[in-house]
Amino acid sequence: MPRIIATILDSGIFIVLARVLLTLVFWSSGLAKLFDFSTNAAIMESFGLHPGWLVNTITMILQLGASLAIILNRGVWLAAGALAVFTILTIPIAHPFWAKEGEEAFRDLTVALEHVSLIGGLALAAVLSQKT
């Protein structure tokens, strides 16, 4: 590996940036739930999750709290595990590709596969947090 690449990969700034990027989808969603609470609570209810305000609150706390824990490298195994469970549960709730047809099924399948890949990234973050 070229020395410059090794230097970048060993950089503390790069590690924090990687954690921020890994959790971007979660903390941006958590902030959206905070700043547009009523709309997001209604979305929760549209998925059959009642009461929407409570599910939205719990989801927001999970997304923001676990993201922060990963970024700060504190309890990463727990935060990554919680986000992984949350992420896998969103597939049957919000992206049931097997129950759809055509382009809509393809779109949800793509999202589901992206979710599974993200879970792999979260697992790697938990593993690597043990080495720092």
Side-chain angles (χ1 to χ4, degrees):
M1 169 183 320
R3 184 172 173 90
I4 185 73
I5 300 299
T7 301
I8 291 169
L9 292 176
D10 286 338
S11 165
I13 293 171
F14 183 78
I15 292 168
V16 171
L17 176 63
R19 290 183 186 135
V20 168
L21 293 175
L22 174 64
T23 59
L24 172 67
V25 68
F26 298 112
W27 57 260
S28 64
S29 177
L31 289 173
K33 286 172 179 55
L34 176 65
F35 293 122
D36 195 2
F37 191 88
S38 59
T39 298
N40 282 281
I43 290 169
M44 296 298 181
E45 292 197 357
S46 76
F47 289 124
L49 304 171
H50 300 278
W53 67 267
L54 180 60
V55 177
N56 191 62
T57 301
I58 293 168
T59 302
M60 176 183 58
I61 291 169
L62 169 65
Q63 290 178 320
L64 294 174
S67 293
L68 186 60
I70 291 170
I71 292 167
L72 298 176
N73 198 31
R74 301 285 185 259
V76 176
W77 68 272
L78 180 59
L83 288 174
V85 170
F86 167 80
T87 301
I88 202 73
L89 290 175
T90 65
I91 294 172
I93 293 170
H95 309 289
F97 59 88
W98 56 88
K100 298 179 179 175
E101 294 183 17
E103 188 175 322
E104 191 177 14
F106 179 74
R107 202 172 30 249
D108 274 0
L109 174 60
T110 301
V111 170
L113 292 172
E114 290 170 351
H115 280 32
V116 172
S117 293
L118 180 57
I119 291 168
L122 291 166
L124 275 174
V127 168
L128 294 174
S129 74
Q130 299 302 303
K131 301 183 183 305
T132 59

